[in-house]
């Protein structure tokens, strides 16, 4: 529908890039990539960061009248304050900020806190190197990083900021330790520990790499015996394993993380049994082993003990060679197969009590490959069926034959084998059946054999038990360092370890002078003469404080609770706040924390769920899990240049980057190798995110980062492509200046009362205020629906734009909700931006649709590019809100329209409507009244679904052009050799040869080509027969005869303005009561 005014202005629908008569529109089409205008992106950051800091957005100070909002707790893993923010940080904090803003726009009460994982070794090492107190170093770094975080435009709850090194925080870390202690879940025990001789501290197993080096200092880790504090995480191993099933549902946690945790917990089911040891001195002992393959018991050829097994320690007292071996073995790689044969000792196979075995007794070795913490530090060596045992045997016993007692099912008839070095010399690892020649067991499958062995041994009163074994060990939390949370225990000679009374918490770290740290090694707490001296809280006698501090994973195991109540002086969190806000809804962080941090946090959280702090544990479905959803973002890799001949990594200044796509090595003129690799100093590929933000602005940097890769993939940071994002956001800012609205429409523009109202309601309002012209409907429509009116009103370009907007809202909402494809949010919004930009200016309605689409675009953009969205929103409302002052009750007058973040996230209300409006129809084509074929075509734009109405000219043309373009259409009707033409000369714009009539009826569902030989009456009669199949309500056929203009509508009627407003009023009254005038 075109209004006459626009037609006289020369408005015509066109496919792309309208050339409109008024100057603003032509500027739009010819200078599409002009600069952002008055403000650069970094200036925009400054303007809006200041504005946000100045005025608290309404979501932070809700009206008393506001209905309570549902909560959403979004938490990124808090940073270690190293002093510099790197791109990995920027990625995780951008992702979490985008989600937080999205949820807030969706109407949630979002908790999005940030804090500092502030204890830890780097601070202490820096202190020892430079003679600066670790606290000073840490606090300086926090200030630096906080400033950098501010620059990225994050929406952080700074009023919840915490630092784990703050006594007000670690007081509660100590409290949790004591709660565990009271429940018997914290204990001190002597154990063989990994000791880092450089950092002079104990390391957890997981902090030692596969080659036995410290993850932090890189030093070769030693094994020493020390009394250490442990937490009994093993008490929770079963729920930790089993509750993962819930976390796996619907992909809430990444599969990879769950698999790693499962492997770490390492539950296996097997058999615990005993080998009796006969010693040369006549005494006996027993070695308990755990095996998952008791069916291979017939093939045991030795027993091996760990370095710290009690029998080994006992033997070492008398055996100098053994002591030397143990010392040396500390430094062997973990996969070493060296062994030490214990003299004068033989172990008896428990099966020898049931059947005759070739070797009833086997030698006993000490072997570093046997882990202390698996089973009971002893394994039965079955070289025929285990690859490590096999390697050990060949390393220690050379060519000695290896017995193989299990064979594949299909070889059940074969005798057991003896392996000798050669082709066949390899262990059989899979289960099978017991080989022939083993008395009473031959041919029995492995699993049955296990049951039978256990059964028979039990009858013989041999110690045997089917059991589970776990790889998980208790959590060693002692660290012999200063910069950690002190363990609140006092050691008294008469009372033992006594907890520090609750009222004496926190046990604060001593205030040591900077110089104290300079050049020190070891634990400053132990060396401080005064701090550790105290009195026993129980008996009052002189006592000493525990000088170990806690592993920093202890701080991060519970910090998500503290964020909910950071200023609570008495409790770590009020139970009410924990109950109403835990678990965290979305937790975002690096996959490097897949095991330890997440496992410890799950443990402590499950523990707190057994206390009065979080009694519900998040409800019966949640089982005390702290994180409902986990998002692990991929790493960021940097563009890396290397010399193709030497392989040397090149600094960026060594490469001529004036043409970024074609870099050249300055010195040689050669083309460098370009790769993307993990950022490191040695590869000269690091990127300072603050420099990027300073240059391009926070929003461009954020959008570029999101656009480059799905959240969980590796991100190849390539700054050369950032200009695409720059151009896009520039375009968005230009859209907001509404130069696409013709001046006479803009002068009369009305902002909608409810920006999210369905299109029908928006149009009612526009009609009511006479912003768009009334529609014209055929007189025979007795009761047009709103759909009819919309169909009548919306032309192709309008439908296209509104359909695109609705689809984008739908897909962007989905992508934000599922999180993994934030990159498609950016690409979808780019497409929508172009669709709005390129929309043809067909009518005043189009101006309103472009306005609404732009408004929705900005609301969807706001999480990604908050400052650009705010700026564009402000401009859009200023430019279009000119007549708003007359509407006293317009929402613009209250706070709700001031910030784009107050307006909420758009809803795709009209997707179904647009589907109905743009659906396809089936058209039957007849020639001389005989059905020839049928095709699927796009429905004509107006009055589709109201088949009583004849189609207007352009719709008839629309239907015919589509029919002729189909394969069948070309065959029958095509101007190049279509059957009806019979070689006749074809004129431009003709649908049929001279003398033919073309009738399009039933809203385009029936097309009849009637040749000159057929009498008119006959043709029409046939047509009526067809019509009789469907509705037959005075339907009017349209006749095209050659190039003859279409006949005038016989009974057209123009709906009056009054008719439409009456109709709408009536409907409005039914729904809402009388309309406002
Ligand atoms: Zn005492």
């Amino acid at each position: 529908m075109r209004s006459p005014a626009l037609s006289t202005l020369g408005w015509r629908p066109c496919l792309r890039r309208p050339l409109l008569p008024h100057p603003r529109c032509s500027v739009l089409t010819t200078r599409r990539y002009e600069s952002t205008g008055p403000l650069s992106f970094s200036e925009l950051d400054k303007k809006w960061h200041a504005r946000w800091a100045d005025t608290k957005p309404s979501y932070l100070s809700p009206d008393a009248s506001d209905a309570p909002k549902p909560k959403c707790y979004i938490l990124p893993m808090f940073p270690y304050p190293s002093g510099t923010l790197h791109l990995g940080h920027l990625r995780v904090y951008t992702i979490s900020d985008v989600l937080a803003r999205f949820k807030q726009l969706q109407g949630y009460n979002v908790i999005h806190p940030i804090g500092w994982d502030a204890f830890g070794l780097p601070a202490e090492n820096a202190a020892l190197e430079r003679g600066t107190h670790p606290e000073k170093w840490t606090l300086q770094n926090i200030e630096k990083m906080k400033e950098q975080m501010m620059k990225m435009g994050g929406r952080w709850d700074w009023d919840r900021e915490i630092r784990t090194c703050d006594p007000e925080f670690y007081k509660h870390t100590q409290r949790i330790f004591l709660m565990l202690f009271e429940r018997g879940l914290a204990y001190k025990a002597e154990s063989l520990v990994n000791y880092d001789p450089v950092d002079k501290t104990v390391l957890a197993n997981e902090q030692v790499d596969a080659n036995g080096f410290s993850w932090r200092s890189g030093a070769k880790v030693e094994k020493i015996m020390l009394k250490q504090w442990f937490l009994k995480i093993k008490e929770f191993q079963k729920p930790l394993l089993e509750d993962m099933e819930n976390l796996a549902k619907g992909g809430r946690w990444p599969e990879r993380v769950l698999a790693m945790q499962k492997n770490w917990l390492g539950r296996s089911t097997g058999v615990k049994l005993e080998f009796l040891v006969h010693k040369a001195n006549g005494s006996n002992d027993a070695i308990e082993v755990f095996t998952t393959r008791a069916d291979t018991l017939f093939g045991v050829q030795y027993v091996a003990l760990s370095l710290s097994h009690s029998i080994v320690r006992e033997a070492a007292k008398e055996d100098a060679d053994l002591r030397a071996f143990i010392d040396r073995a500390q430094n062997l790689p973990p996969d070493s197969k060296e062994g030490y044969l214990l003299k004068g000792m033989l172990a008896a196979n428990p099966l020898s009590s049931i059947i005759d075995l070739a070797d009833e007794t086997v030698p006993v070795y000490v072997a570093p490959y046997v882990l202390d913490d698996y089973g009971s530090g002893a394994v039965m060596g079955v070289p025929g069926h285990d690859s490590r045992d096999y390697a050990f045997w060949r390393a220690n016993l050379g060519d000695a034959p290896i017995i193989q007692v299990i064979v594949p099912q299909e070889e059940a008839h074969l005798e057991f084998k003896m392996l000798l070095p050669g082709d066949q010399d390899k262990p059989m690892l899979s289960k099978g059946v017991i080989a022939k020649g083993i008395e009473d067991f031959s041919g029995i499958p492995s699993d049955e054999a296990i049951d039978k062995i256990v059964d028979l041994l039990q009858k013989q009163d041999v110690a045997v038990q089917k059991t589970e074994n776990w790889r998980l060990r208790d959590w060693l939390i002692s660290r012999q360092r200063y910069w950690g949370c002190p363990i609140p225990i006092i050691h008294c000679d008469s009372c033992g370890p006594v907890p520090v009374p609750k009222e004496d918490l926190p046990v604060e770290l001593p205030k040591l002078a900077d110089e104290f740290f300079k050049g020190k090694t070891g634990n400053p707490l132990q060396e401080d003469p005064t701090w550790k001296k105290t009195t026993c809280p129980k008996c009052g006698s002189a006592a000493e404080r525990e000088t170990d501090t806690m592993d920093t994973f202890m701080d991060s195991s519970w910090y998500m609770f503290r964020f909910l109540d950071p200023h609570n002086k008495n409790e770590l969190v009020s139970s009410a706040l924990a109950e109403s806000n835990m678990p965290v809804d979305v937790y975002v962080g690096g996959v490097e924390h897949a095991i330890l941090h997440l496992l410890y946090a799950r443990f402590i959280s499950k523990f707190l769920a057994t206390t009065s702090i979080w009694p519900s544990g998040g409800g019966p479905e949640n089982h005390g899990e702290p994180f409902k959803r986990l998002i692990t973002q991929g790493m960021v890799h940097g563009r890396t240049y290397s010399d193709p001949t030497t392989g040397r990594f090149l600094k960026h200044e060594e490469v001529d980057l004036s043409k970024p796509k074609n870099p050249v090595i300055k010195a040689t003129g050669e083309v460098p190798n370009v790769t993307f690799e993990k950022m490191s100093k040695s590869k000269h590929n690091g990127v300072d995110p603050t420099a990027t933000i300073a240059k391009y602005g926070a929003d461009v940097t954020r959008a570029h980062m999101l656009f480059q890769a799905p959240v969980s993939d590796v991100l190849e940071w390539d700054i050369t492509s950032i200009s695409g994002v720059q151009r896009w956001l520039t375009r968005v800012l230009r859209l907001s200046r509404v130069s696409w609205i013709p001046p006479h429409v803009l002068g009369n523009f009305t902002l909608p009362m409810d920006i999210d109202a369905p299109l029908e309601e928006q149009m009612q309002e526009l009609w009511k205020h006479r912003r768009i012209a009334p529609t014209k409907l055929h007189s025979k429509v007795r009761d047009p629906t709103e759909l009819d009116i919309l169909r009548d009103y919306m032309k192709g370009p309008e439908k296209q734009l509104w359909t695109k907007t609705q689809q984008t809202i739908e897909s962007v909402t989905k992508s934000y909700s599922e999180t993994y494809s934030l990159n498609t949010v950016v690409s979808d919004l780019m497409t929508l931006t172009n669709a709005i930009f390129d929309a043809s200016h067909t009518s005043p309605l189009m101006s309103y649709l472009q306005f609404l689409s732009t408004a929705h675009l900005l609301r969807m953009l706001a999480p990604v590019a908050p400052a650009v969205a705010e700026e564009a929103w402000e401009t859009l409302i200023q430019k279009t809100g000119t007549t708003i002052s007359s509407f006293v009750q317009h929402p613009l007058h209250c706070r709700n329209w001031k910030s784009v973040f107050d307006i909420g996230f758009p809803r795709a209300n009209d997707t179904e409507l647009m589907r109905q409006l743009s659906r396809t129809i089936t058209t039957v084509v007849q020639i001389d009244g005989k059905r020839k074929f049928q095709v699927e075509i796009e429905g004509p734009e107006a009055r589709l679904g109201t088949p009583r109405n004849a189609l207007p000219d352009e719709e008839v043309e629309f239907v015919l052009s589509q029919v002729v373009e189909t394969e069948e259409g070309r065959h029958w009707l095509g101007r190049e050799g279509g059957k009806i033409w019979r070689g006749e000369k074809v004129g431009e714009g003709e649908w049929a040869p001279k003398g033919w009539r073309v009738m399009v009826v039933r809203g385009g569902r029936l097309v009849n080509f009637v040749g000159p030989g057929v009498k008119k009456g006959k043709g029409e009669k046939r047509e009526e027969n067809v019509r009789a199949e469907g509705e037959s309500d005075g339907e009017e056929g349209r006749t095209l005869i050659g190039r003859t203009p279409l006949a005038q509508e016989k009974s057209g009627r123009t709906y009056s303005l009054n008719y439409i407003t009456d109709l709408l009023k009536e409907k409005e009254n039914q729904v809402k009561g009388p309309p406002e005038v």
Side-chain angles (χ1 to χ4, degrees):
M1 182 75 214
R2 263 170 247 150
S3 75
L6 289 179
S7 303
T8 53
L9 273 172
W11 280 49
R12 288 280 178 272
C14 52
L15 288 175
R16 292 173 73 85
R17 301 187 193 172
L19 273 172
L20 297 178
H22 66 94
R24 285 207 256 175
C25 286
S26 55
V27 166
L28 187 93
T29 52
T30 51
R31 293 172 51 211
R32 306 161 94 205
Y33 301 117
E34 67 172 7
S35 72
T36 58
L39 290 177
S40 74
F41 287 113
S42 16
E43 284 169 326
L44 276 189
D45 285 347
K46 274 188 211 127
K47 172 181 168 182
W48 286 98
H49 291 186
R51 190 83 73 88
W52 294 328
D54 238 25
T55 48
K56 246 187 171 185
S58 64
Y59 58 81
L60 288 178
S61 48
D63 276 357
S65 59
D66 286 353
K69 294 171 171 180
K71 73 96 192 182
C72 185
Y73 185 0
I74 293 178
L75 182 65
M77 291 180 187
F78 66 166
Y80 177 77
S82 59
T84 38
L85 200 74
H86 53 71
L87 272 184
H89 288 125
L90 187 67
R91 192 175 193 195
V92 61
Y93 300 125
T94 299
I95 293 165
S96 98
D97 187 53
V98 165
L99 297 182
R101 288 178 182 276
F102 166 65
K103 284 292 177 185
Q104 183 241 307
L105 276 162
Q106 274 198 326
Y108 286 86
N109 181 14
V110 175
I111 303 169
H112 189 224
I114 191 82
W116 309 94
D117 194 8
F119 272 136
L121 268 181
E124 189 155 348
N125 288 342
L128 299 177
E129 261 167 49
R130 295 168 213 179
T132 326
H133 194 285
E135 184 174 32
K136 204 186 264 177
W137 188 85
T138 305
L139 296 185
Q140 276 168 3
N141 286 349
I142 289 176
E143 283 319 301
K144 261 194 261 173
M145 285 178 80
K146 198 168 166 180
E147 205 176 297
Q148 291 173 310
M149 297 268 300
M150 298 278 198
K151 285 186 180 143
M152 64 166 278
R155 172 210 174 280
W156 301 102
D157 302 349
W158 287 109
D159 50 343
R160 296 182 190 268
E161 182 182 0
I162 53 175
R163 293 182 299 229
T164 57
C165 65
D166 187 341
E168 276 306 306
F169 180 90
Y170 69 66
K171 170 170 137 183
H172 303 289
T173 312
Q174 293 174 340
R175 181 76 198 102
I176 292 175
F177 175 89
L178 291 179
M179 285 160 73
L180 289 159
F181 184 78
E182 281 153 24
R183 289 263 293 270
L185 293 170
Y187 64 95
K188 200 167 192 183
E190 179 146 286
S191 86
L192 191 68
V193 294
N194 302 304
Y195 187 74
D196 180 333
V198 171
D199 278 347
K200 293 205 162 35
T201 192
V202 167
L203 300 173
N205 278 345
E206 47 277 12
Q207 292 167 338
V208 181
D209 72 15
N211 298 314
F213 292 94
S214 162
W215 76 320
R216 178 122 18 223
S217 73
K220 182 77 199 174
V221 172
E222 295 168 0
K223 297 251 178 194
I224 58 171
M225 290 299 287
L226 262 186
K227 273 201 112 180
Q228 302 284 310
W229 283 98
F230 290 89
L231 300 183
K232 275 192 188 168
I233 189 174
K234 279 181 75 65
E235 291 274 308
F236 287 75
Q237 60 194 10
K238 213 169 164 210
L240 283 171
L241 181 72
E242 287 170 359
D243 295 342
M244 281 200 286
E245 213 170 288
N246 231 350
L247 299 178
K249 277 181 196 159
R252 284 165 49 195
W253 276 44
E255 262 174 46
R256 187 173 154 215
V257 172
L258 294 173
M260 284 162 88
Q261 293 226 346
K262 197 171 170 189
N263 182 49
W264 191 259
L265 292 161
R267 176 165 72 180
S268 52
T269 49
V271 177
K272 205 152 64 176
L273 37 79
E274 270 182 11
F275 282 68
L276 285 180
V277 179
H278 308 298
K279 296 184 184 170
N281 63 12
S283 67
N284 287 330
D285 211 333
I287 296 173
E288 186 188 278
V289 301
F290 170 82
T291 176
T292 56
R293 291 293 305 276
D295 55 321
T296 64
L297 202 50
F298 305 98
V300 173
Q301 291 183 280
Y302 68 95
V303 169
L305 305 176
S306 74
L307 298 175
S308 60
H309 193 278
S310 59
I311 289 179
V312 178
R313 276 195 272 168
E314 191 60 35
K317 286 178 187 162
E318 326 241 297
D319 185 343
D321 291 346
L322 175 57
R323 288 198 296 275
F325 175 77
I326 293 171
D327 282 349
R328 199 163 56 79
Q330 314 284 4
N331 296 317
L332 290 173
D335 60 345
S336 161
K337 292 297 177 296
E338 279 195 43
Y340 180 89
L341 179 66
L342 288 176
K343 290 159 216 157
M345 216 181 276
L346 285 170
N349 190 322
L351 279 180
S352 58
S353 63
I354 313 171
I355 56 167
D356 287 336
L357 291 169
D359 292 311
E360 291 198 349
T361 57
V362 294
V364 180
Y365 281 85
V366 180
Y369 85 91
V370 180
L371 301 175
D372 292 312
D373 46 13
Y374 185 81
S376 41
V379 301
M380 56 182 222
V382 189
H385 298 287
D386 181 280
S387 46
R388 282 180 310 173
D389 296 354
Y390 167 85
F392 182 82
W393 183 266
R394 286 279 174 250
N396 289 276
L397 289 121
D399 295 350
I402 290 173
I403 183 168
Q404 217 160 44
V405 294
I406 308 289
V407 293
Q409 175 74 51
E410 57 276 18
E411 293 173 18
H413 57 284
L414 296 178
E415 292 268 341
F416 61 83
K417 279 189 239 172
M418 298 304 279
L419 301 180
L420 290 166
D423 285 352
Q424 304 291 312
D425 187 23
K426 55 185 176 207
M428 178 190 159
L429 304 179
S430 55
K431 288 183 175 175
V433 299
I434 308 282
K436 203 174 154 195
I438 294 175
E439 193 189 330
D440 293 340
F441 282 86
S442 299
I444 298 181
S446 291
D447 288 331
E448 259 177 60
I450 293 173
D451 292 342
K452 186 168 173 179
I453 288 168
V454 172
D455 206 36
L456 287 173
L457 287 177
Q458 273 169 348
K459 280 181 187 150
Q460 296 289 317
D461 274 343
V462 177
V464 62
Q465 190 192 351
K466 277 197 159 184
T467 182
E468 261 176 9
N469 192 54
W470 294 70
R471 186 169 168 253
L472 181 73
R473 301 292 96 192
D474 276 345
W475 176 12
L476 194 171
I477 58 154
S478 281
R479 298 290 181 272
Q480 290 70 47
R481 304 299 302 213
Y482 170 81
W483 194 232
C485 172
I487 293 175
I489 291 287
I490 291 166
H491 295 286
C492 167
D493 282 343
S494 26
C495 313
V498 180
V500 172
K502 200 179 164 190
E503 57 278 12
D504 292 348
L505 296 181
V507 176
E508 284 197 48
L509 289 166
K511 307 266 180 250
L512 300 174
D514 286 5
E515 305 76 58
F516 184 91
F517 293 94
K518 181 104 186 164
K520 283 264 166 59
T521 55
N523 182 0
L525 289 183
Q526 213 150 27
E527 288 167 38
D528 179 54
T530 50
W531 181 80
K532 64 179 173 186
K533 301 262 180 270
T534 184
T535 50
C536 170
K538 245 188 194 167
C539 70
S541 52
E544 283 198 358
R545 291 191 185 283
E546 172 63 64
T547 58
D548 284 355
T549 52
M550 291 184 221
D551 178 5
T552 54
F553 278 126
M554 186 66 191
D555 309 321
S556 55
S557 69
W558 73 277
Y559 77 122
M560 54 281 181
F561 285 89
R562 187 64 181 170
F563 275 134
L564 300 173
D565 201 3
H567 311 295
N568 192 330
K569 295 253 180 238
N570 305 312
E571 299 166 289
L572 60 100
V573 61
S574 88
S575 174
L577 285 170
E579 286 292 352
S580 53
N581 293 299
M582 282 297 285
V584 171
D585 292 277
V586 185
Y587 196 37
V588 191
V591 78
E592 68 272 19
H593 292 298
I595 302 174
L596 300 178
H597 160 59
L598 288 170
L599 195 64
Y600 296 149
R602 293 181 61 214
F603 160 48
I604 294 300
S605 185
K606 281 177 183 296
F607 167 70
L608 291 175
T610 67
T611 69
S612 60
I613 289 165
W614 193 30
S616 76
E621 294 290 301
N622 191 62
H623 304 287
E625 288 289 337
F627 313 117
K628 209 187 241 177
R629 258 196 96 196
L630 174 70
I631 309 292
T632 49
Q633 92 281 2
M635 287 190 18
V636 183
H637 286 182
R639 204 178 170 87
T640 313
Y641 299 100
S642 59
D643 190 311
T645 27
T646 63
R648 185 176 70 87
F649 291 110
L650 301 166
K651 291 180 183 159
H652 284 209
E653 52 268 29
E654 292 180 82
V655 183
D656 177 2
L657 295 169
S658 54
K659 289 176 194 148
K661 297 252 151 71
N662 301 303
V664 175
I665 303 175
K666 282 179 187 165
T668 60
E670 276 185 291
V671 177
N673 286 337
V674 182
T675 49
F676 284 90
E677 299 189 32
K678 191 175 168 181
M679 290 188 179
S680 75
K681 277 183 187 152
S682 63
K683 290 176 183 162
H684 312 298
N685 61 354
V687 171
D688 174 9
T690 36
T692 312
I693 289 175
K695 186 167 177 191
Y696 298 98
D699 286 9
V700 174
T701 309
R702 287 161 62 109
H704 177 62
M705 179 158 246
L706 294 173
F707 185 42
Q708 297 254 293
V711 165
S712 49
D713 286 14
V714 165
L715 168 68
E716 295 186 341
W717 182 253
D718 186 359
I719 203 70
T720 57
S721 57
I722 202 168
S723 53
V725 172
Q726 258 178 323
R727 274 200 300 276
W728 166 50
L729 292 180
T730 304
R731 243 179 165 200
V732 171
L733 287 169
R734 299 192 56 231
L735 263 188
S736 72
R737 282 179 231 138
V738 299
S739 43
W740 32 270
I741 303 183
H744 71 280
V745 178
L746 187 58
N748 212 11
F749 205 84
T750 314
L751 289 181
M753 296 295 281
D754 175 4
I755 202 161
D756 285 314
L759 188 60
E760 290 132 272
E761 281 176 35
Q762 305 274 12
M763 287 179 66
Q764 279 178 31
E765 230 181 80
L766 293 175
W767 277 315
K768 200 167 71 192
H769 299 302
R770 314 213 172 170
R771 300 301 187 228
I772 54 176
T775 184
K776 194 170 70 177
L777 283 177
H778 197 276
S779 60
K780 288 184 182 170
V781 181
R782 280 192 290 267
D783 188 17
T785 62
E786 280 164 353
L787 199 61
D788 291 331
I789 298 170
L790 282 173
R791 274 179 186 137
D792 197 51
Y793 222 101
M794 291 184 92
K795 298 294 170 205
E798 287 151 358
K799 283 199 295 198
Q800 259 170 24
L801 176 63
W802 200 239
T803 303
K804 176 50 97 191
T805 303
Q806 298 297 311
Q807 284 169 348
T808 308
I809 296 172
E810 232 175 16
S811 82
V812 165
T813 307
K814 187 163 179 270
S815 302
Y816 274 132
S817 308
E818 291 172 356
T819 309
Y820 286 105
S821 50
L822 293 181
N823 54 324
T824 63
V825 168
V826 175
S827 55
D828 283 350
L829 294 181
M830 284 175 166
T831 312
L832 180 61
T833 308
N834 292 341
I836 303 170
F837 221 81
D838 293 344
S840 323
H841 297 258
T842 42
S843 70
L845 175 63
M846 184 54 119
S847 296
Y848 281 96
L849 292 178
Q850 278 178 296
F851 166 81
L852 287 170
S853 297
T854 307
H856 295 335
L857 168 73
L858 299 181
R859 299 159 79 195
M860 292 189 275
L861 174 70
V864 174
V868 169
E870 287 275 43
E871 176 74 13
W873 179 258
E874 189 180 65
T875 314
L876 181 74
I877 299 305
Q878 272 171 8
K879 300 267 182 188
T880 52
T882 42
T883 62
I884 212 67
S885 54
S886 56
F887 294 86
V888 181
Q889 286 182 347
H890 194 277
L892 195 57
H893 293 296
C894 67
R895 60 146 207 249
N896 290 340
W897 284 55
K898 296 277 158 61
S899 157
V900 70
F901 288 101
D902 292 335
I903 198 93
F905 204 80
R907 293 185 298 274
N909 289 324
D910 295 330
T911 36
E912 183 47 40
L913 174 79
M914 296 320 291
R915 258 192 289 275
Q916 283 179 16
L917 281 180
S918 18
R919 69 182 169 206
T920 58
I921 57 167
T922 305
T923 294
V924 172
V925 179
Q926 296 178 334
I927 292 173
D928 291 338
K930 283 182 193 146
R931 189 181 184 283
K932 294 296 181 194
F933 62 93
Q934 72 176 52
V935 286
E936 284 289 311
I937 60 163
E938 192 186 325
E941 295 178 355
R943 296 173 213 177
L944 173 61
T946 53
R948 292 160 297 194
N949 302 315
L951 296 174
D953 311 1
E954 63 268 34
E955 306 296 6
V956 168
E957 300 255 348
F958 182 71
V959 168
L960 289 176
S961 62
Q962 287 192 83
V963 168
V964 170
E965 273 166 25
T966 63
E967 199 180 322
E968 297 252 52
R970 272 198 302 278
H971 176 71
W972 286 98
L973 317 167
R975 291 174 184 130
E976 307 283 327
K979 278 190 164 182
I980 59 167
W981 294 92
R982 293 184 190 115
E984 205 172 305
K985 198 162 174 276
V986 184
E988 184 75 24
E990 289 173 355
W991 294 108
K994 208 167 177 187
W996 284 62
R997 281 170 297 138
V998 184
M999 278 167 278
V1000 179
V1001 292
R1002 295 182 57 208
R1005 286 183 179 80
L1006 178 70
V1007 177
N1008 194 3
F1009 286 76
V1010 185
V1014 182
K1015 277 182 194 164
K1016 196 178 173 183
K1018 196 179 170 190
E1020 277 169 356
K1021 206 170 185 184
R1022 277 192 192 150
E1023 189 192 310
E1024 270 161 22
N1025 290 342
V1026 175
R1027 247 187 270 139
E1029 291 165 11
E1031 299 97 325
S1032 56
D1033 181 28
E1035 190 175 86
E1036 199 63 40
R1038 266 326 187 82
T1039 310
L1040 276 170
I1041 303 168
R1043 300 182 67 176
T1044 322
L1046 293 165
Q1048 288 297 308
E1049 273 183 62
K1050 283 178 189 161
S1051 50
R1053 175 168 89 102
T1054 305
Y1055 274 79
S1056 70
L1057 179 63
N1058 286 343
Y1059 175 82
I1060 294 294
T1061 42
D1062 290 350
L1063 179 84
L1064 293 171
K1065 256 185 214 155
E1066 209 177 82
K1067 285 187 183 287
E1068 209 168 8
N1069 288 341
Q1070 285 164 6
V1071 186
K1072 296 182 175 169
E1076 187 191 326
V1077 181

